[in-house]
Amino acid sequence: MNNITPYSSPHYFIYLLLLLLPIMIGLWFGKRLHIYDFFATVVILWITFFGGNMSQGISLIFYILYEMLLVFIYLSYRKKHNNFWIFTMFVVLAIVPLVFVKLDPLLKNATISLFGFMGISYLTFKAVEIIMEIRDGAIKNIKPYEFVRFLLFFPTISSGPIDRFRRFQKDVLKVPSRDEYVELLHSGVNKLMQGLAYKFIIGYFFGTLLLPKIQILTLSYRGETPLGISWALVAYMYVYSMYLFFDFAGYSLFAVSISNFMGIKTPMNFKAPFKSKNIKDFWNRWHITLSFWFRDFIYMRLMFTMIKHKWIKNRVNIANFGYLTLFLIMGFWHGETWYYIVYGLFHAGAMITNDAWLRFKKRHRKSIPSNKLTHAFAVFLTFNVVCFSFMIFSGILDKLWF
């Protein structure tokens, strides 16, 4: 049997639903079957990482042991000391495996690629969050099995959403009442059906039926028009954007749905992002758990440090520098290719421009109209800015130009 990517085939859903049934029966009767939860996790991880090629599974085991060692060494240290540079060292060490994996395509080093397994980014975000919240004093104690359970929570292991340890722990330690669990089941079924429609109907239409044909048409203009620009490229921009949203949102809905069946209220990852009125609103609606993670653990901490040490005195310049740093890191996280980096810089520029407009609008609120028409225009403009950024992100320009 080959490894099965989560939520990608009927086989996976059959295994999943069979394994979930005892968990759901237990919760229906007010009991959380911790030992069976562990068994179900092992089975899902086995078919995901050990079903055929076991290299990913072996990498996962060593990764978990490595991160656990870091977390518990730092937890022991933090109970007596609180040195910033020691904390920074542990954060850097926690992301080293992810850095190796991200550098692999650039360096084409077979040894580095041994560190890779599906979902390493999301597990790294969780591990770093724990280290940071230990440093903040928000997490004062954590047991090894709690750490492993949090990182290896199988509904979210491959593509998120990225939960927070303390929120997750509250759900795990609490058994929902019958009425609460009925609501979770209702929510889970709705999200499962919505995810099936998003991923396997709408996403399939845009990504499998439409996108390849439009890509061929788009690339046919290479060398025929200046920079290969054509109406086909515009069509590609919109079709790819629709595919990206419905495919990814479908995965996220599956993860939240299965979590609900297990009595866990995993946070939603998307909230009608194409209805956003500006780019900041968009990042509050798109890949929410990732954008909030970057906001809380990179942007806000960088802002605090810069203000505290007075590296830059002007608050606007501090915020702009923060945007550039944040989205540049996000670009590199996606990959070390020029279009991911440009994608990050584009969004940094969009955030800086948006903030400048909001400041201008605040100063001239009496002379700038605000009504349904201006709101509709703002949504239309934001939608097109976002779709343009997704065209950059897709890599089509790399194929078209190089």
Side-chain angles (χ1 to χ4, degrees):
M1 183 178 72
N2 295 324
N3 296 2
I4 302 178
T5 303
Y7 313 120
S8 64
S9 70
H11 294 92
Y12 184 84
F13 282 97
I14 292 171
Y15 294 139
L16 195 58
L17 293 175
L18 289 174
L19 287 167
L20 283 175
L21 193 57
I23 296 174
M24 295 166 69
I25 293 172
L27 289 170
W28 182 263
F29 290 103
K31 294 183 179 180
R32 195 177 284 281
L33 309 176
H34 293 289
I35 295 177
Y36 180 81
D37 283 357
F38 173 76
F39 167 77
T41 298
V42 170
V43 172
I44 292 295
L45 293 179
W46 182 268
I47 65 176
T48 303
F49 296 102
F50 296 91
N53 182 356
M54 298 181 67
S55 61
Q56 283 201 56
I58 294 170
S59 297
L60 175 64
I61 291 172
F62 279 103
Y63 173 85
I64 292 296
L65 293 174
Y66 171 78
E67 295 290 349
M68 186 187 297
L69 184 66
L70 288 178
V71 165
F72 285 96
I73 289 175
Y74 184 70
L75 179 63
S76 177
Y77 166 84
R78 180 63 182 87
K79 290 178 179 178
K80 298 179 182 178
H81 309 283
N82 186 20
N83 181 275
F84 173 78
W85 295 110
I86 297 296
F87 157 71
T88 303
M89 179 187 73
F90 274 91
V91 170
V92 170
L93 288 173
I95 66 173
V96 162
L98 177 60
V99 172
F100 280 159
V101 171
K102 293 299 181 180
L103 287 176
D104 176 44
L106 187 65
L107 302 179
K108 297 180 181 179
N109 188 316
T111 303
I112 287 179
S113 65
L114 292 176
F115 289 91
F117 60 88
M118 178 176 55
I120 186 172
S121 292
Y122 297 98
L123 269 62
T124 301
F125 292 140
K126 288 182 175 183
V128 170
E129 177 238 327
I130 289 176
I131 292 173
M132 288 187 168
E133 293 203 332
I134 288 173
R135 198 248 177 172
D136 295 343
I139 297 176
K140 299 185 182 299
N141 195 23
I142 180 173
K143 298 179 176 63
Y145 72 87
E146 292 174 338
F147 174 81
V148 173
R149 179 175 58 195
F150 175 60
L151 257 66
L152 296 182
F153 184 60
F154 67 81
T156 64
I157 194 170
S158 62
S159 301
I162 306 166
D163 210 343
R164 304 289 176 93
F165 175 75
R166 288 180 293 153
R167 199 222 62 78
F168 175 81
Q169 194 70 358
K170 286 180 181 178
D171 281 0
V172 169
L173 296 178
K174 176 189 174 185
V175 178
S177 67
R178 176 71 62 84
D179 289 341
E180 289 174 332
Y181 190 56
V182 167
E183 289 183 13
L184 283 173
L185 287 176
H186 184 262
S187 170
V189 170
N190 285 342
K191 289 178 175 60
L192 180 61
M193 294 299 105
Q194 187 179 358
L196 289 170
Y198 275 23
K199 168 70 179 170
F200 295 113
I201 299 177
I202 306 176
Y204 176 81
F205 171 74
F206 282 111
T208 303
L209 299 182
L210 207 54
L211 192 62
K213 296 176 182 177
I214 295 180
Q215 178 172 313
I216 292 171
L217 181 60
T218 301
L219 295 178
S220 70
Y221 286 91
R222 183 170 48 193
E224 300 296 324
T225 61
L227 298 177
I229 295 173
S230 66
W231 285 110
L233 180 61
V234 176
Y236 180 92
M237 177 180 80
Y238 291 118
V239 171
Y240 179 81
S241 298
M242 293 302 102
Y243 161 68
L244 184 65
F245 168 68
F246 285 108
D247 186 73
F248 195 12
Y251 271 111
S252 294
L253 283 165
F254 290 146
V256 175
S257 169
I258 303 307
S259 300
N260 289 167
F261 293 151
M262 298 177 69
I264 305 295
K265 300 175 184 176
T266 295
M268 288 289 288
N269 230 1
F270 295 90
K271 187 180 179 181
F274 294 140
K275 291 183 179 180
S276 305
K277 60 185 178 181
N278 57 50
I279 199 68
K280 185 173 287 187
D281 187 30
F282 170 78
W283 280 109
N284 287 330
R285 295 166 173 264
W286 175 273
H287 208 339
I288 298 169
T289 59
L290 176 70
S291 62
F292 282 20
W293 192 97
F294 272 89
R295 180 198 67 187
D296 295 344
F297 297 113
I298 297 179
Y299 181 81
M300 295 305 297
R301 289 167 187 266
L302 178 61
M303 295 300 96
F304 175 78
T305 302
M306 293 177 70
I307 292 171
K308 179 181 178 182
H309 295 285
K310 299 180 180 179
W311 293 345
I312 301 175
K313 293 183 179 180
N314 185 284
R315 292 293 181 98
V316 172
N317 291 337
I318 290 175
N320 292 345
F321 180 81
Y323 289 141
L324 286 168
T325 304
L326 175 69
F327 283 102
L328 194 58
I329 291 172
M330 189 179 288
F332 275 107
W333 170 68
H334 281 106
E336 291 72 36
T337 51
W338 71 266
Y339 46 86
Y340 289 141
I341 296 167
V342 170
Y343 167 81
L345 291 173
F346 178 87
H347 272 280
M351 291 289 282
I352 291 169
T353 303
N354 180 71
D355 275 10
W357 163 250
L358 291 178
R359 289 193 300 272
F360 178 85
K361 186 178 178 181
K362 186 177 181 180
R363 291 195 302 269
H364 303 84
R365 63 166 62 98
K366 292 183 178 180
S367 58
I368 297 176
S370 179
N371 50 49
K372 291 182 179 180
L373 184 61
T374 58
H375 178 80
F377 176 75
V379 171
F380 173 78
L381 180 62
T382 303
F383 172 72
N384 282 279
V385 167
V386 167
C387 288
F388 183 80
S389 76
F390 287 159
M391 181 189 67
I392 298 171
F393 178 85
S394 73
I396 189 66
L397 297 180
D398 187 65
K399 297 176 182 177
L400 200 58
W401 295 345
F402 305 109

